[in-house]
Every structure is written in C-alpha cells, then in structure tokens.
Amino acid sequence: MPPPAPPAHPAPNADTLCAQALGDVDGPTGALVPPIHTSTTYARDEQNAPVAPGRIYARDQNPTFEPAERLLTALERGAQTALFASGMAACTAVFRALSPGDHVVAPAEMYWALRRWLTTTATRWGLDVTLVDTHDLRALEAALRPGSTKLVWLETPANPCWTITDLAAAARLAHAVGASVAVDSTVATPVLTRPIEHGADLVVHAATKALNGHSDVLAGSVTAARADDALFLRVLEVRATEGAVLGPFEAWLLLRGMRTLPLRVRTASASALRLAQHLAGDSRVAEALYPGLPSFAGHEIAARQMSGGFGSMVSVRVGGGRDAALRTLGKLRLWKRATSLGGTESLVEHRATVEGPTSSVPVDLLRLSVGLEDVADLIADLDAAL
Ligand SMILES: *Cc1c(COP(=O)(O)O)cnc(C)c1O
C-alpha cells in the first residue's frame, strides 16, 4: 500500500502573505529583506543576448518592483500585477490601452481627478465617455452599447459619498455586452474586497494610499485576473513604452508598507465604524455617510461584498452649508487638513473647496480618512469642533 499523501499546505491568508512579504529569501545573500536595484541597464554577453534572460532596460523592468507586484497579485488572487508611478498613471494606462472611438462607461461619482481626466484629456484623445450612476444597475445597463462599449470602470466604495456598487451584478451586465471590467479598489483594499472574485478583469489601486500606508510613496498598480487578458497586455505595452514606472526606492518602500497592510486596514476600519456610529447619533450632524452603518443605502451589498470591515473612509454632512463645514474644519486640532487617504494619520478635507465651482459634492460635506490614532481622541476632537 502506498504511504498516505502528506497533508496539503493550505494557502496562506493575507496576514501571513504580508507579514513575510511572501516569505522570499534573496538568493545570492540569504537576506529576508530584498535589495534595492538601482541599475537602469543590464549587461549582454558575447552573442549580445541579455546575461539575465529578459533583463534589458529599466524603463519597464526592475527586480525591485517584482516582490511588491507578486505580493499584490497574491492578495488580489489575480494572475499578474504591474506597478506604476502613481495611481493616476495606473488608471490612465487602462484607458490608454483602449483605442480612440471606443466607448467606456464610468461612475458619475468617482475619484475626482480621474473623472476630470476622462472628460477632458481622454475625450480629446477620442474616447467616448459616458458617466452614469454605475451603482444603479438599470442605469448602468441602459448606458451599455453592445459591441461598442469596451470598458466599464467601477469604484466601490466611491469617492466621496462611499456609494456601493454590486460588483458581481455590474460585471455580469458588462460582460454580457462584451465589455471588460476594471475596478478602482483603492478604498476597499484587497484586505476587505477582492474584485476579481466578483468578476472583475482588472483591479486598479492608488498604492499611494492604504497599500503603502505611510503617506510617503506615490504609486499605482493594475492587477489582471488573467495574464493573457488582451487589455492587460496592452496596459503592459503602455507602461513599457510611455515609461510611468515606479522608482526602485519607492517600490521597496511599498513592499515594506504592505507588510502591515491587514493590521492597519482592520484597525482603521474598526475606528471608522465607531466614529461613524458616533456621528450618526449626534443631533448636530445632518448625515454620516459610511457603508458600515445599517442605515446606509448600500449597506447590505457592502456587507456581502466586503469582509473584515467597511474601510477607513467616512464622510460627514455637518448641515448649515459651506461656512459651517469650513468652520468645523478650521477648529480641528488633531485631524490634519490635507487631501489623500489611507495613511497612519487621520485627514480631513472639504472636497467642495478642493474641486472648485464645478464640483457636485455637497458643500457641507467633510471627508474623513481615519488613521491609526486612538479613536477616542479622534472623536473628542470632532466633538469639540462641531
Ligand atoms: C488617490 C486616488 C487615485 C490616484 O492616485 P495617485 O497616486 O494620487 O495618482 C485614484 N483613485 C482613488 C480612489 C484614489 O483615492
């Protein structure tokens, strides 16, 4: 009788993958922390073949990217990841991988700088862009044009009111007309949502935010569900030829930041929930917007689609208009007045001022990025300012 097969090693979960950065050991040295490769070029042998197969030039290749790309691929349960110089470089590479004349559908409520790019540069370049409430599945379906819609872009929770889109349902509609689905999952992070499991073809991150987590690296990523996905192959082409690559120091810092990603995301999400509950119960507040509140419109979908928390982003409508919001903002001591999210420090932003006169964000809305401070301190500071 053959000996019993040894038990299979179970696939490690996100905490384990991150804590050990996949457990890689540097071959030549045995180092547990990877080296930083700064070389922009690679040697060739006497026959002019690359000494290290595939290594030619640093505009598209750097061994320092690869551990961070592989860790992100494992966290998203995808096939391959490409890092970019910023979140916007990653987002725009996906649209640049299409062709002029292609039709794309994107959310009316989304990361503001990308929406502006879509309605200006992308439109001038020839993309046919429809902005629609993608969380409203009937509106999404009506916006799709069988045969000519090539991409549906989704963001959930979406900036800055954290509207939830049912990824599986939206992906089914998009795929039914032959469109690819890309999800900006910056706010959710792979700790809370893995869009590929809900049907996404591409997952995009502003790694500047929670993935790096320390407000000291600008980076972006695109992860593909399938390595031979035609759109992803063109994304790789865009990166290789247009050169919006991440620097080796930034790639190294990103991997270092990702080692603590699950801890940071869960702590910030738990604090955000407590803060949102507190704000929802405060009679001075007009509305607290947070997917973890049972009263929130998309709560049930979020509860199904997210696991381990509802994210670190909360918005609060203070009531009383723009002046009241700016007064509250001005009185805060602990919260830092700055744009961005996903860092260790908590940030507050008056989006309507930042976006200017064409903004559709409610003027009494403050966007809160909850960090890792003691949540009682954060609540006390807001209480004193309201
Ligand atoms: C910040 C952000 C981006 C852009 O990332 P950058 O690194 O600032 O270019 C894209 N999408 C979302 C949701 C973001 O929060």
Side-chain angles (χ1 to χ4, degrees), residues 256-328:
R256 177 189 162 118
M258 283 168 67
R259 286 178 183 262
T260 55
L261 174 71
L263 273 179
R264 289 186 284 101
V265 168
R266 280 198 300 266
T267 300
S269 293
S271 294
L273 179 60
R274 273 192 54 195
L275 178 79
Q277 285 165 339
H278 181 86
L279 290 170
D282 188 326
S283 59
R284 297 168 299 179
V285 163
E287 193 179 10
L289 299 167
Y290 186 65
L293 295 172
S295 58
F296 190 79
H299 173 71
E300 274 173 33
I301 299 164
R304 210 168 57 227
Q305 183 165 280
M306 305 178 82
S307 57
F310 295 90
S312 63
M313 299 304 292
V314 180
S315 287
V316 55
R317 296 191 61 175
V318 300
R322 172 186 295 265
D323 292 346
L326 287 172
R327 233 183 354 263
T328 304

Side-chain angles (χ1 to χ4, degrees), residues 84-91 110-114 153 155 157-159 162 184-187 204-209 217-220 313 339-341 367:
F84 283 83
S86 69
M88 277 299 283
C91 295
M110 70 185 294
Y111 179 68
W112 184 71
L114 183 62
W153 185 270
E155 181 180 326
N159 266 286
W162 319 119
D184 181 342
S185 199
T186 300
V187 171
V204 180
H205 287 285
T208 309
K209 313 293 170 55
V217 168
L218 202 62
M313 299 304 292
T339 194
S340 201
L341 57 119
R367 191 184 85 166

Side-chain angles (χ1 to χ4, degrees), residues 133-147 149 152 154 165-181 198-199:
D133 287 332
T134 47
H135 61 276
D136 175 346
L137 295 172
R138 264 190 235 158
L140 171 62
E141 190 169 20
L144 296 170
R145 299 180 200 157
T149 306
V152 172
L154 303 171
T165 293
D166 183 334
L167 291 176
R172 270 196 301 275
L173 293 175
H175 288 154
V177 299
S180 295
V181 175
H198 301 282

Side-chain angles (χ1 to χ4, degrees), residues 306-379:
M306 305 178 82
S307 57
F310 295 90
S312 63
M313 299 304 292
V314 180
S315 287
V316 55
R317 296 191 61 175
V318 300
R322 172 186 295 265
D323 292 346
L326 287 172
R327 233 183 354 263
T328 304
L329 180 95
K331 283 191 203 153
L332 290 164
R333 296 268 169 84
L334 206 57
W335 292 77
K336 301 296 174 208
R337 286 172 286 274
T339 194
S340 201
L341 57 119
T344 60
E345 65 288 301
S346 293
L347 304 179
V348 57
E349 222 189 338
H350 185 245
R351 287 298 313 166
T353 310
V354 173
E355 297 182 16
T358 61
S359 173
S360 56
V361 175
V363 293
D364 65 346
L365 181 142
L366 295 177
R367 191 184 85 166
L368 305 170
S369 168
V370 179
L372 301 183
E373 302 91 337
D374 185 330
V375 65
D377 289 341
L378 294 175
I379 289 174

